[in-house]
Amino acid sequence: RAFGSPRLTQLPPDADGRLPAIAARSTHEAASVTIARYWWWGLLALVAVASGRVVLERLIFFPDPVMPPAPPGVVDRFITTADGVRIHAWWAPPPSRGPTLLWSHGNAGNVGNRAAILMALVARRLGVLAYDYRGYGRSEGTPDETGVYRDSEAAYDEVRALGVPAERIVCFGESLGGAVSIRLATVRPVAGVAVVATFPSLRDVARVHYGVAGAAIGGRFDMRQRLARLAVPLLVAHGDEDEIVPYELGQRLYEAAPGPKRFVRVPGATHNDVLGFPGLLDAVAAFADEVAAQSR
């Protein structure tokens, strides 16, 4: 059964707003759920220091080492990557033959900041493996682009080892994690990819904020060529009030994908609250169910 022709969808505004647990975040959590606003202030320093890879990585990744206990029904997992780094994940098994989201988060915080979202996805009858990149939460190591790609591959291999077949795995990523998810889907077999508040390349985002100086970010997290190799259905969702990764960049990401694909506009959503809109989570769950069903 075909996924269907490319189409645009607009979610209606939610009558009761966002998930209560999201609206009630602490100040610390609200500042670190996806891309931290101060990241872009740091890019000015990047232009000044023009160079060092270590400096650059520190301006991209903002890990939080403080982790709460796993929510009820969620299991701690520790995974060893191909280069020997031990990373941490939360695992919520899927219902019988249901789809599983392999969740790659944004550049700030850790999976603990996203516990309410994880439980909302589980309530929609999805399995979820939400892992922390190296250096985040309880994961060892120091993050960089190559490292987080290795972390995603190790997390995928863990899901397969837990008994989930490739045709029921959906890569799910927010912000920078969307780029990680797209790349993973070009090197591992999956049913589909769903990304939220993601960009075509990190340089595109830097240019929006800093013009030509944004070129200093280089070719990091550039998805254009990888999108051309994407061979599974893609869901792109974006808040139309995103102040960090502008809505137009989400549209550009969608347009660069070959299809089959679907675009979901989330009215009123900004960068750091978009996952708190229940209609978006419904759309992600429906997409995961659809693409997993096609593979059965």
Side-chain angles (χ1 to χ4, degrees), residues 13-292:
D14 293 299
D16 54 352
R18 302 158 186 81
L19 293 171
I22 303 308
R25 288 190 197 113
S26 68
T27 302
H28 170 74
E29 290 173 322
S32 65
V33 169
T34 51
I35 290 186
R37 184 185 296 271
Y38 52 81
W39 180 21
W40 306 113
W41 303 344
L43 281 176
L44 287 175
L46 165 64
V47 174
V49 292
S51 57
R53 181 176 176 219
V54 171
V55 172
L56 181 56
E57 303 303 350
R58 287 177 180 171
L59 295 172
I60 293 174
F61 300 101
F62 291 90
D64 184 348
V66 179
M67 273 287 292
V74 176
V75 178
D76 288 299
R77 304 287 302 184
F78 286 92
I79 306 162
T80 301
T81 66
D83 57 339
V85 177
R86 191 169 182 253
I87 63 171
H88 173 253
W90 278 348
W91 168 238
S96 177
R97 297 186 61 80
T100 291
L101 299 183
L102 177 52
W103 186 357
S104 301
H105 61 66
N107 78 319
N110 57 47
V111 297
N113 302 139
R114 297 155 170 88
I117 303 292
L118 186 150
M119 297 309 291
L121 292 167
V122 170
R124 287 162 171 80
R125 299 187 58 75
L126 296 169
V128 181
L129 185 116
Y131 69 98
D132 266 328
Y133 308 126
R134 56 192 62 199
Y136 286 70
R138 298 168 68 186
S139 295
E140 299 174 350
T142 302
D144 59 22
E145 183 177 9
T146 299
V148 300
Y149 290 157
R150 287 175 176 155
D151 298 341
S152 70
E153 292 171 6
Y156 173 92
D157 295 342
E158 177 75 2
V159 174
R160 292 298 307 276
L162 287 165
V164 180
E167 61 269 20
R168 295 209 295 271
I169 298 174
V170 175
C171 295
F172 173 54
E174 41 154 321
S175 194
L176 181 141
V180 176
S181 296
I182 289 167
R183 185 262 176 192
L184 179 61
T186 67
V187 298
R188 294 286 195 276
V190 297
V193 184
V195 301
V196 180
T198 297
F199 42 78
S201 76
L202 206 50
R203 181 163 22 190
D204 290 329
V205 185
R207 281 176 172 162
V208 166
H209 295 272
Y210 295 108
V212 294
I217 202 74
R220 285 167 172 76
F221 296 99
D222 192 331
M223 293 299 110
R224 289 183 182 86
Q225 291 185 355
R226 292 192 170 102
L227 278 169
R229 301 197 300 270
L230 191 65
V232 294
L234 172 69
L235 173 72
V236 178
H238 218 101
D240 63 9
E241 295 185 13
D242 193 319
E243 74 287 16
I244 303 296
V245 179
Y247 178 74
E248 292 74 19
L249 290 186
Q251 291 179 306
R252 199 180 303 172
L253 175 73
Y254 171 80
E255 290 162 0
K261 57 189 178 180
R262 183 175 300 162
F263 188 91
V264 174
R265 176 177 183 170
V266 188
T270 66
H271 193 77
N272 283 335
D273 70 3
V274 63
L275 289 179
F277 284 70
L280 171 61
L281 302 186
D282 291 341
V284 170
F287 171 80
D289 285 336
E290 184 176 354
V291 296

